[in-house]
Amino acid sequence: MKIAIYPGSFDPVTLGHLDIIERASALFDKLIVVVMHNVAKSPMFTVEERMEFLRRTTSRLSNVEIDAFGGLLAGYAAQRGACTIVKGLRAMSDFEYEFQMALTNRKLNPNVDTIFLMTSAEYMYLSSSMVKDIALHGGKVADFVPPEIEEEIFHRMRKDG
């Protein structure tokens, strides 16, 4: 069984993330979407909330599993028997950092490869930070997030803002 991991903070999950999830799930027998704990980021939503958003928005994809992890991705890949890490790229600026991470993960776990999927053109500009900023300032996020979670994100951001 070919298992891949798609890691990210998903704070919150966007249509760009969902684009990568749908396309990667078609390439592998199993895709594990893993909410990573990133000490460099201050998330707006809890890990549990982000996992629930992902579960709701991917429920129709039978080979997608949602998980969370706080350690080294290379170790998690070994633990789950994954052969591939999937990374989505929006622009060339993403590539440098992701390339460094891919080489580091390969050094830590020689049994795992990283593949890069370019996001679809309509989502190249989209980021979770942008979605949070739009919602925080009262803007509509319908064009940026899956419909299953749109209202919840908007109301949460307005409440916290």
Side-chain angles (χ1 to χ4, degrees):
M1 176 181 276
K2 296 270 186 195
I3 300 171
I5 295 171
Y6 177 38
S9 56
F10 306 107
D11 186 40
V13 61
T14 68
L15 291 174
H17 292 132
L18 198 54
D19 173 54
I20 298 295
I21 291 168
E22 289 170 349
R23 290 169 44 221
S25 71
L27 298 173
F28 296 94
D29 299 316
K30 181 177 192 174
L31 178 68
I32 304 168
V33 180
V34 60
V35 176
M36 298 295 291
H37 304 271
N38 186 338
V39 294
K41 293 185 178 184
S42 299
M44 177 62 69
F45 297 95
T46 68
V47 169
E48 293 76 20
E49 287 171 321
R50 289 179 273 159
M51 289 177 68
E52 179 56 29
F53 286 167
L54 285 160
R55 282 188 193 103
R56 275 195 264 162
T57 58
T58 64
S59 63
R60 71 190 184 299
L61 302 170
S62 63
N63 66 330
V64 172
E65 175 186 330
I66 308 303
D67 199 5
F69 189 71
L72 290 173
L73 183 58
Y76 180 78
Q79 175 187 328
R80 296 302 308 264
C83 62
T84 308
I85 295 168
V86 174
K87 298 299 294 199
L89 297 178
R90 292 174 294 194
M92 265 326 263
S93 56
D94 288 346
F95 181 75
E96 247 182 275
Y97 173 77
E98 296 297 351
F99 184 67
Q100 244 183 336
M101 292 304 299
L103 292 174
T104 302
N105 285 325
R106 181 81 170 155
K107 184 72 173 173
L108 293 171
N109 180 350
N111 298 317
V112 69
D113 284 311
T114 299
I115 65 166
F116 299 106
L117 291 179
M118 294 301 300
T119 191
S120 295
E122 65 263 33
Y123 306 122
M124 288 184 78
Y125 64 91
L126 186 55
S127 70
S128 293
S129 298
M130 185 182 296
V131 169
K132 289 186 282 190
D133 193 46
I134 292 167
L136 187 63
H137 290 92
K140 300 230 179 269
V141 296
D143 291 336
F144 311 112
V145 300
E148 298 93 336
I149 63 174
E150 173 195 349
E151 284 298 314
E152 193 168 344
I153 290 170
F154 180 77
H155 290 298
R156 171 66 177 278
M157 296 304 297
R158 295 297 298 151
K159 182 181 76 169
D160 289 351

